[in-house]
Amino acid sequence: MSDELNPAVPDSATAEGPETESDEPIKQRKNGLYPGVSDELAENMKSGWADTELRDLEPVEQAGHTARRRAALSARFPGERLVIPAGNLKTRSNDTEYAFRASVEYTYLTGDQTEDGVLVLEPTADGHQETIYLLPRSDRENGEFWLSGQGELWVGRRHSLTESEALYGIPAADVRELAEQLREATGPVRVVRGHDAGIEAALTDKVTAERDEELRVFLSEARLVKDEFEVGELQKAVDSTVRGFEDVVKVLDKAEATSERYIEGTFFLRARVEGNDVGYGTIAAAGPHACTLHWVRNDGPVRSGDLLLLDAGVETHTLYTADVTRTLPVSGTYSEIQKKIYDAVYEAQEAGIAAVRPGAKYRDFHDAAQRVLAEKLVEWGLAEGPVERVLELGLQRRWTLHGTGHMLGLDVHDCAAARVETYVDGTLEPGMVLTVEPGLYFQADDLTVPQEYRGIGVRIEDDILVTEDGNRNLSAGLPRRSDDVEAWMAALKG
């Protein structure tokens, strides 16, 4: 990475550097090698550049869907100004930033993913006027395009406002003017909080936490039922994830020679080649690490004879993520006790998936899976029955630990701000996509179970679409039955 970020300051500019249209000085690196920019170089950099404006652009694939979503939002909050920011870059260390990921609310409503973007719905007599506020292309006249750390020559070309209008079907304006406009705004306003401190500061005397939360909740609940575009993107994510799991199985010998990091890196390669990223931190948990639910350190050994719990998902370029887990024998064959535990989890998952259908209570699939696991724990003598007592007191949770699933979409735990009565206490509808992921985890230091159980963790997770007549397993491309898993691994290795 070049160490000459913000390399120079024109002699004719202020000591801090030339000012942009927003009157913010371009900062000079303290230890940059160039002391300044001559007037001649500054003038030279203004001209001699070809016209690169993109014309005849087609709207993004989801443009029709995002328009319908904005219409529903407008109808829900008539007469109110609605402000939905994408968010800003976050510093990782010094002058490097984390990869940007736009807020799900902004992406859901626009299809855009660029930092600093803000969607504003201004109330009108018959609805709202929509505007997407964005950073325009880098300014070549004042040198911002090559002197600013976020200039075009440093981080790449941005779309012009005209291009953005064509792509997203929304009138576009310069976001650098928005904060002042919002400070002067009158009338009721709501903003999605937590993404853009500058925008929130401009609205600080116009909004309330309660009203803003109502906006956030509405946008979360709007995502409970997926449209055909979203289902297609989730299927793409799952299909790439299936290939990522296949990649891992093919290199398990290399993982044994190194660590869980090899597994994480192998899956990440597939995610970056076919998608935007991983949808969440990959869990590559071998041996007793499988009993740590969110094991993302991935720095442990991978040993033949142990199980590998791989929980991973590819995120598509439109930010929809898969979430799939398989628990694989590193050697390719389950031991007797591993198979016993695995088959119990498989049986529980089968019961859970069978309970996913329109009209069913959301909790039904969880209850069905937990009942099977409780029955197994009583049968094995690990929990004192009867089963009804175990379930009533939640005693099985010592070994099952977590809920059996969650909604899936733009977030791996999608729709998290939805009201309890519409989510956990709600009813399943066609178009909902959720995970079904029971597990059993016997900690290495759990003295309440026989030694042979200790250090074994098993989870099986699939992504399930609620259909008109039942459900469809989007991740059916990965085998689940223990004998099928062994045959699949043997074929891939052979």
Side-chain angles (χ1 to χ4, degrees), residues 165-186:
E165 289 183 357
L167 288 169
Y168 308 117
I170 312 170
D174 191 336
V175 72
R176 294 173 296 186
E177 303 167 359
L178 179 59
E180 185 58 34
Q181 293 176 18
L182 293 177
R183 276 190 286 268
E184 298 173 357
T186 59

Side-chain angles (χ1 to χ4, degrees), residues 9-28:
V9 180
D11 297 338
S12 59
T14 64
E16 291 82 12
E19 295 189 352
T20 66
E21 293 179 8
S22 59
D23 294 329
E24 293 180 358
I26 296 174
K27 296 178 181 178
Q28 164 75 350

Side-chain angles (χ1 to χ4, degrees), residues 371-391 396 399:
R371 175 170 291 277
V372 171
L373 295 178
E375 290 171 349
K376 296 296 181 182
L377 291 166
V378 171
E379 177 187 326
W380 298 340
L382 304 182
E384 182 180 348
V387 170
E388 294 299 335
R389 170 183 175 271
V390 172
L391 291 170
Q396 82 283 0
W399 303 285

Side-chain angles (χ1 to χ4, degrees), residues 83-257:
V83 182
I84 301 94
N88 316 124
L89 289 171
K90 291 181 172 61
T91 299
R92 181 178 185 270
S93 179
N94 189 27
D95 58 355
T96 60
E97 291 86 22
Y98 288 103
F100 179 74
R101 189 184 191 277
S103 73
V104 294
E105 296 89 354
Y106 176 84
T107 301
Y108 180 74
L109 292 168
T110 67
D112 179 47
Q113 298 177 33
T114 54
E115 64 267 20
D116 301 326
V118 184
L119 173 69
V120 178
L121 274 63
E122 297 276 353
T124 63
D126 57 353
H128 286 85
Q129 172 62 48
E130 306 167 346
T131 305
I132 186 170
Y133 288 86
L134 302 164
L135 284 171
R137 288 197 61 191
S138 296
D139 193 315
R140 293 180 186 260
E141 184 63 27
N142 69 1
E144 184 255 347
F145 82 106
W146 71 291
L147 294 173
S148 167
Q150 294 303 315
E152 188 169 300
L153 295 193
W154 290 99
V155 299
R157 183 186 188 278
R158 294 192 290 263
H159 284 300
S160 70
L161 298 182
T162 301
E163 291 169 353
S164 295
E165 289 183 357
L167 288 169
Y168 308 117
I170 312 170
D174 191 336
V175 72
R176 294 173 296 186
E177 303 167 359
L178 179 59
E180 185 58 34
Q181 293 176 18
L182 293 177
R183 276 190 286 268
E184 298 173 357
T186 59
V189 184
R190 297 179 192 255
V191 63
V192 177
R193 299 190 181 199
H195 302 302
D196 193 318
I199 294 298
E200 289 180 37
L203 294 169
T204 186
D205 60 340
K206 308 176 193 302
V207 296
T208 67
E210 181 180 7
R211 287 163 52 80
D212 291 348
E213 181 63 12
E214 288 175 352
L215 172 60
R216 179 169 171 259
V217 167
F218 173 81
L219 291 172
S220 196
E221 293 182 358
R223 303 199 308 275
L224 284 168
V225 175
K226 271 59 180 179
D227 56 41
E228 59 268 30
F229 172 81
E230 294 180 288
V231 172
E233 289 301 296
L234 286 167
Q235 187 65 69
K236 287 180 188 176
V238 168
D239 292 345
S240 289
T241 298
V242 168
R243 290 186 283 273
F245 274 70
E246 293 172 346
D247 296 338
V248 166
V249 171
K250 293 175 182 177
V251 299
L252 280 178
D253 57 334
K254 294 182 174 63
E256 287 186 66

Side-chain angles (χ1 to χ4, degrees), residues 235 238-239 241-243 245-246 324 326 462 473-480 488:
Q235 187 65 69
V238 168
D239 292 345
T241 298
V242 168
R243 290 186 283 273
F245 274 70
E246 293 172 346
V324 178
R326 290 294 183 269
D462 285 270
N473 186 348
L474 301 179
S475 45
L478 280 177
R480 292 186 296 124
W488 170 73

